[in-house]
Amino acid sequence: MPKTLIEPFRIKSIEPIRMTTRAERERLLEDARLNVFQLHADDVLIDWLTDSGTGAMSSRQWGAIMEGDESYAGARSFFRLQRVVQDITGMAHFVPTHQGRAAEKVLFAAVCQPGQLVPSNCHFDTTRANLEHAGVEALDLVIPEGLQPATIHPFKGNIDLARVEALLQSEGARIPFGMLTVTNNTGGGQPVSLANLRAYSALLKKHGKPLILDMCRFAENAMFIKMRESGYQNTAVRDIAREMLSCADGATMSAKKDGMVNIGGFIVLRSDEWLDAVRNDLIMMEGFPTYGGMAGRDLEALAVGLEEGLQEDYLRYRLRTAEYLGERLEAAGVGFVKPTGGHAVYIDARTVLPDMPVAHYPAWALCNALYLEGGIRGVEVGSVMFGKRLPDGTETFHSMELVRLAFPRRMYTQSHFDYAAEVIAEVKQQAAGIRGVRIVKQPKYLRHFTCECAWVE
């Protein structure tokens, strides 16, 4: 058998990439105030800023779009999607939203009160921001290995059960529910084991607390379980996904990830306890409960995409793609979160810029360097994204300085990954010339999206 794992699809339509020069990119980055979020997408050669809503839809999805029912209330497209979601999740109540952060906003507005506390393995940026905006403390309790990029562990997304139990005993009155992100995006796209998920669910139930999953990459997590957790090698990924979700009382999803669509999200709930409050807030924020901010054509595309995202040939190829880039980085002496995650490779900026002070934001600086050298756009997952400027002007810093290279689904080929590996290796060789940055303007929440920076002199 050949060893090369090919893309399990054929390309039917293409989009040209505009090639730029180093001199052009220097000017463009300056115009963007040293923030790659502010670049025009046409000025990016390989766009690995995010895998959220950036992938290619299939011919089946494009065909389904033509069947979209755009009725305001009771559209058949809603009921089609509802059947698919209920079958995958095993939960009775499905509430569509236009994307994941809207699902978080609606759920937290309906359920949470100021002064409460929500534990998770790691809250990602919008989850944390939505909780904090509601006056809720978002607490990360990932296992110690999850904060050690070079440490090998099959399930670095696992939550620390001992810390959870201690928290439930000391702060139980403040906790409305527990959360868990699968896979754990903040910590390198790392999976959560079924054993850990079951144990966490049991601990919460012992204290009368429900479990809410952030399930946006649930299919990738299920594939990791099949590959790494004893007893599941011969279990279908779809069945593993159902077992994962059977541990939860509800979930939010950005369908722009494992839903394989460009827009969409939802909330699912097992009981109807919160349903009226969620639907009332949905109508205020998103739309009527049978469209929730999505067009009928988007509901149809998502119904197909959720099924395609569970295909094992596709998942095997996707996880191997990240592993392949990791192997190329290892050969170049570039550190990254090991083992590689499902949707991205996370470069450990400290292995490229070991002497840069954290106050100069080394992961942000490395993001800029990758764009300047090769037109690659990644995203910083470090002290700009998760640090804060306090009222006295001092800064808090994140425990890791990572650059996430997140891969849109079904979009880039092996030559793109080979090119990227060459660019990253070149940046590593030129590390002494990489400049740090300082933030000159920032908003209160989610500062990484819109902050303006300047070079450190």
Side-chain angles (χ1 to χ4, degrees), residues 38-311:
Q38 303 305 310
L39 292 166
H40 291 197
D42 287 345
D43 297 325
V44 176
L45 273 70
I46 295 183
D47 202 344
W48 288 347
L49 181 76
T50 180
D51 63 320
S52 179
T54 54
M57 289 201 300
S58 70
S59 56
R60 287 185 62 233
Q61 287 179 290
W62 283 109
I65 280 175
M66 298 305 296
E67 299 179 3
D69 179 358
E70 305 302 342
S71 302
Y72 185 91
R76 66 176 177 273
S77 298
F78 166 80
F79 294 107
R80 179 186 178 190
L81 176 57
Q82 179 178 249
R83 287 192 297 272
V84 172
V85 172
Q86 288 172 336
D87 180 64
I88 290 171
T89 67
M91 299 194 201
H93 306 294
F94 163 64
V95 180
T97 62
H98 83 276
Q99 61 178 351
R101 69 192 61 182
E104 295 165 352
K105 179 77 171 178
V106 169
L107 180 65
F108 299 161
V111 174
C112 295
Q113 299 294 327
Q116 290 181 326
L117 182 155
V118 173
S120 184
N121 48 0
C122 289
H123 299 274
F124 200 58
D125 57 357
T126 61
T127 320
R128 177 174 296 278
N130 272 314
L131 285 168
E132 291 178 349
H133 189 263
V136 178
E137 181 182 353
L139 186 61
D140 293 346
L141 297 176
V142 71
I143 59 173
E145 293 89 341
L147 301 176
Q148 300 163 4
T151 299
I152 301 294
H153 187 289
F155 293 103
K156 291 172 80 170
N158 283 355
I159 197 164
D160 190 323
L161 297 170
R163 294 173 69 196
V164 169
E165 187 162 26
L167 183 73
L168 287 166
Q169 291 172 353
S170 64
E171 299 282 359
R174 294 178 58 205
I175 298 173
F177 53 83
M179 288 198 76
L180 198 67
T181 306
V182 291
T183 58
N184 186 30
N185 192 3
T186 303
Q190 298 294 308
V192 176
S193 72
L194 254 173
N196 185 257
L197 179 51
R198 282 198 211 94
Y200 182 40
S201 176
L203 266 178
L204 290 169
K205 283 181 171 57
K206 178 181 174 183
H207 290 264
K209 311 295 181 183
L211 170 60
I212 303 297
L213 293 185
D214 175 347
M215 60 172 285
C216 63
R217 296 179 181 88
F218 77 103
E220 291 173 10
N221 199 99
M223 189 66 183
F224 276 122
I225 289 170
K226 181 181 179 72
M227 295 166 63
R228 296 181 182 174
E229 192 162 358
S230 177
Y232 289 94
Q233 286 71 26
N234 297 317
T235 305
V237 164
R238 190 186 191 95
D239 293 336
I240 295 171
R242 285 196 186 107
E243 193 167 342
M244 287 167 51
L245 285 152
S246 72
C247 300
D249 301 284
T252 61
M253 181 167 186
S254 170
K256 296 160 68 177
K257 284 81 167 178
D258 280 356
M260 313 288 277
V261 289
N262 304 124
I263 198 69
F266 57 80
I267 302 164
V268 285
L269 298 169
R270 194 168 300 283
S271 83
D272 61 2
E273 180 182 355
W274 297 339
L275 189 60
D276 286 345
V278 164
R279 283 179 172 164
N280 288 339
D281 283 338
L282 181 88
I283 291 170
M284 293 291 292
M285 299 179 196
E286 289 282 286
F288 193 73
T290 58
Y291 77 89
M294 296 174 67
R297 55 185 173 271
D298 297 321
L299 297 169
E300 292 281 353
L302 178 53
V304 176
L306 284 167
E307 301 281 359
E308 292 183 346
L310 286 165
Q311 292 173 355

Side-chain angles (χ1 to χ4, degrees), residues 392-420:
D392 64 2
T394 60
E395 288 269 343
T396 64
F397 299 109
H398 190 47
S399 56
M400 295 186 288
E401 290 290 323
L402 306 176
V403 174
R404 186 188 71 178
L405 304 175
F407 314 134
R409 291 158 180 81
R410 304 185 293 202
M411 189 167 176
Y412 290 101
T413 65
Q414 182 171 332
S415 62
H416 294 105
F417 285 84
D418 288 336
Y419 169 83

